[in-house]
């Protein structure tokens, strides 16, 4: 009888999801309904929700890295990173699109968020790409695809959640994501070059080493922030949560000090061509006022307010699924596939299909505790499987019918969601190829680990 009620509740949750009800409410509805059917008190849900955040020190890094992304965007550091990427690649056909993807990689190395990466780079470079002769649909799709590396290149919010759930060193997960994330960017840049060359999109700028040097100088604060995070985590000077706090403090200080210096030097605006700016002007970003900090913090808090409850209810959902025996059912199905490669590829198919219909957070919280032990039992290193899992989940950001990054790109560029899908196919193919390579070549994930 309980099984029939659970089935009805699950059907209802599916219908709510298809009707566009927020994922948090859908999972919350399922959790409350299943708890009542199983005779669990709602007090248990409240206790579980509290335990997630009182016992999860590592999760404190999540709102801090979200805030970091907003701070570097508002201070002008993100714009400088984009200018540098364009100076390096603008002389190649499709160079601005490739620069957009490169800028996504650089922004991801500070913010750790896929949606923030897509929104920031898309809003900055989509208009420039359209003016530069690119198809608006391709431009928006490029920003969406570039955002996928936001959860792979460290620091990564989802790596933090994965490490918390599986009790893995988050610093090791961060380091493991460096090479796969870089490979994802390079693969997408190759696709961008091929598509743009075939269609003749994009205006070329001359390769000028002086321009590269000037924009590189202008982006020095971004490079310093990236280096600070990676150095601190890699050397063990501070934990990922402490790294997030240090980066936020750095960005706040830079933003507040830069504004008066920006005015003192007498800069005439960030929209002027790089070639018209002096070297002294490039050293200082536009910054922000102290009175702007509440609005910046509030925006970050709004995003955290969406993610944090979702993590909490998903943890409770995972506990209920465990009581229902779902872990054993999925585990028996996957292990029943046979040998090493059959089990690994079956797990990858489950991850990919789940990523098509759910956001990476619930996919990670629900499936990672089930699939990770199975992968470990066949000889896959836990850190490598974490990368395999999250690279697969990241592809879901641009894969219909969910495709979170497609919605974000559509909202910031004004290009309708369904008009983007055609231009993501080549990017999806490139990312699937990278995913296969990551699965078959363990050293891509483990070569840089301090213990190696």
């Amino acid at each position: 009888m309980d099984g029939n009620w659970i089935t009805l509740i699950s059907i209802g949750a599916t219908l709510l999801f298809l009707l566009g009800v927020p994922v948090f409410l859908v999972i919350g509805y399922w959790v409350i309904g299943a708890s009542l059917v199983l005779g669990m008190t709602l007090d248990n849900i409240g206790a579980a929700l509290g335990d997630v955040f009182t016992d999860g020190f590592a999760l404190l890094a999540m709102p801090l890295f979200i805030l970091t992304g907003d701070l570097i965007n508002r201070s002008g550091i993100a714009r400088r990173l984009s200018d540098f990427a364009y100076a390096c690649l603008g002389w190649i056909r499709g160079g601005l699109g490739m620069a957009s993807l490169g800028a996504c990689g650089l922004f991801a190395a500070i913010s750790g968020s896929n949606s923030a990466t897509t929104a920031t780079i898309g809003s900055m470079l989509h208009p420039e790409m359209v003016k530069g002769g690119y198809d608006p649909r391709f431009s928006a799709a490029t920003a969406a695809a570039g955002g996928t590396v936001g959860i792979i290149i460290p620091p990564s919010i989802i790596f933090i959640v994965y490490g918390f759930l599986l009790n893995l060193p988050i610093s090791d997960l961060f380091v493991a994501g460096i090479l796969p994330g870089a490979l994802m960017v390079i693969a997408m840049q190759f696709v961008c070059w091929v598509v743009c060359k075939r269609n003749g999109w994009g205006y070329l700028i001359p390769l000028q080493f002086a321009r590269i040097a000037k924009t590189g100088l202008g982006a020095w604060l971004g490079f310093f922030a990236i280096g600070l995070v990676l150095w601190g985590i890699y050397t063990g000077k501070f934990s990922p949560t402490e790294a997030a706090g240090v980066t936020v403090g750095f960005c706040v200080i830079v933003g507040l000090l830069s504004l008066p210096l920006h005015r003192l030097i007498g800069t005439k605006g960030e929209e002027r061509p790089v070639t018209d700016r002096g070297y002294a002007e490039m050293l200082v970003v536009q910054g922000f006022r102290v009175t702007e900090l509440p609005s910046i913090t509030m925006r970050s808090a709004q995003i955290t307010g969406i993610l944090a409850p979702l993590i909490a209810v998903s943890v409770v959902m995972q506990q209920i699924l465990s009581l229902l025996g779902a872990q054993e059912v999925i585990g028996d199905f996957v292990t029943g596939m046979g040998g090493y490669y059959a089990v690994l590829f079956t797990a990858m198919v489950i991850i990919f299909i789940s990523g098509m219909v759910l956001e990476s957070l619930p996919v990670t919280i629900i499936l990672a505790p089930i699939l990770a032990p199975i992968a470990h039992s066949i000889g896959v290193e836990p850190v490598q499987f974490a990368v395999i899992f999250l690279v697969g989940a990241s592809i879901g950001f641009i894969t219909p019918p969910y495709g979170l990054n497609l919605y974000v790109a559509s909202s910031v560029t004004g290009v309708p969601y369904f008009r983007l899908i055609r231009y993501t196919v080549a990017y999806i193919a490139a990312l699937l190829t990278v995913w296969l390579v990551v699965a078959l070549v363990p050293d891509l994930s483990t070569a840089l680990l301090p213990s190696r």
Side-chain angles (χ1 to χ4, degrees):
M1 189 66 178
D2 287 351
N4 293 334
W5 280 110
I6 294 293
T7 301
L8 289 174
I9 292 170
S10 299
I11 292 172
T14 303
L15 291 175
L16 290 175
F17 174 76
L18 294 175
L19 290 172
V21 175
V23 176
F24 163 64
L25 296 179
V26 172
I27 296 178
Y29 158 79
W30 189 92
V31 165
I32 292 173
S35 297
L36 293 175
V37 169
L38 295 174
M40 300 170 60
T41 64
L42 296 185
D43 290 344
N44 178 67
I45 298 176
L49 297 182
D51 289 343
V52 169
F53 298 104
T54 56
D55 297 339
F57 174 72
L59 289 179
L60 290 175
M62 181 183 69
L64 293 174
F65 278 126
I66 292 172
L67 179 56
T68 297
D70 287 329
L71 289 170
I72 64 172
N73 183 30
R74 184 63 189 86
S75 64
I77 294 175
R79 164 65 68 178
R80 295 295 181 84
L81 291 171
S82 300
D83 289 342
F84 172 72
Y86 185 42
C88 292
L89 299 169
W91 57 278
I92 306 172
R93 176 64 65 186
L96 185 54
M98 296 168 68
S100 176
L101 294 166
C104 285
L106 293 172
F107 186 85
I110 309 176
S111 70
S113 167
N114 63 288
S115 55
T117 300
T118 297
T120 300
I121 303 303
S123 60
M124 284 195 304
L125 293 185
H126 174 75
E128 300 298 324
M129 289 183 68
V130 173
K131 287 191 292 185
Y134 293 81
D135 186 294
R137 296 166 295 178
F138 176 77
S139 171
T142 298
T148 58
V149 300
I151 66 166
I152 304 299
I153 294 177
S156 163
I157 293 171
I158 305 298
F159 268 138
I160 293 170
V161 176
Y162 190 103
F164 168 75
L165 291 173
L166 276 300
N167 197 28
L168 292 175
I170 295 173
S171 56
D172 284 357
L173 297 179
F174 279 4
V175 173
I178 295 175
L179 293 181
L183 188 59
M184 289 170 67
V185 172
I186 293 170
M188 289 188 290
Q189 287 179 327
F190 176 75
V191 166
C192 181
W193 174 75
V194 170
V195 172
C196 292
K197 191 173 180 64
R198 179 178 298 175
N199 292 280
W201 290 337
Y203 303 140
L204 306 183
I205 63 172
L207 176 61
Q208 298 176 335
F209 291 103
R211 182 190 183 102
I212 294 175
K214 185 179 287 188
T215 54
L217 180 67
W220 76 275
L221 288 169
F223 296 141
F224 184 85
I226 294 170
L228 180 64
V229 172
L230 295 182
W231 170 81
I233 294 174
Y234 193 84
T235 60
K237 298 296 182 183
F238 35 72
S239 69
T241 302
E242 292 165 341
V246 168
T247 310
V248 166
F250 170 78
C251 291
V252 169
I253 293 171
V254 166
L256 295 179
L257 293 181
S258 292
L259 183 61
L261 291 174
H262 199 259
R263 292 173 173 173
L264 182 63
I265 294 175
T267 57
K268 301 177 181 178
E270 290 289 315
E271 300 303 322
R272 291 188 303 128
V274 172
T275 51
D276 294 343
R277 304 183 209 168
Y279 282 95
E281 185 177 348
M282 294 298 293
L283 283 171
V284 182
V285 294
Q286 66 184 30
F288 47 77
R289 300 181 182 88
V290 68
T291 54
E292 296 178 77
L293 278 176
S295 63
I296 297 172
T297 306
M298 179 59 69
R299 184 181 184 280
S300 303
Q302 289 171 341
I303 298 174
T304 303
I306 296 172
L307 297 180
L310 183 58
I311 294 173
V313 296
S314 296
V315 168
V316 180
M317 183 180 185
Q318 192 272 330
Q319 294 172 349
I320 295 174
L321 288 173
S322 179
L323 288 175
L324 292 173
Q327 289 179 320
E328 289 77 11
V329 172
I330 297 174
D332 291 343
F333 171 75
V334 175
T335 54
M337 290 295 105
Y340 176 92
Y341 292 108
V343 171
L344 181 59
F345 292 148
T346 301
M348 292 171 67
V349 169
I350 293 173
I351 294 166
F352 180 69
I353 293 174
S354 301
M356 291 174 63
V357 296
L358 283 174
E359 208 270 338
S360 62
L361 205 53
V363 169
T364 301
I365 294 172
I366 295 168
L367 286 181
I370 299 174
L371 297 179
I374 297 171
H376 183 61
S377 70
I378 62 170
V380 182
E381 291 192 29
V383 171
Q384 184 205 1
F385 185 74
V387 177
I388 293 173
F389 190 102
L390 292 180
V391 170
S394 73
I395 300 173
F397 288 135
I398 56 171
T399 307
Y402 187 65
L404 176 62
N405 283 12
L406 298 179
Y407 285 106
V408 174
S410 176
S411 66
V412 299
T413 64
V415 179
Y417 172 89
F418 289 103
R419 297 184 68 190
L420 296 178
I421 295 174
R422 170 189 168 190
Y423 292 92
T424 61
V425 174
Y427 286 125
I428 292 173
L431 292 174
L432 287 173
T433 303
V434 171
W435 191 27
L436 185 62
V437 172
V438 169
L440 296 177
V441 184
D443 283 348
L444 269 176
S445 305
T446 60
L448 299 181
L449 293 179
S451 57
R452 297 289 290 226

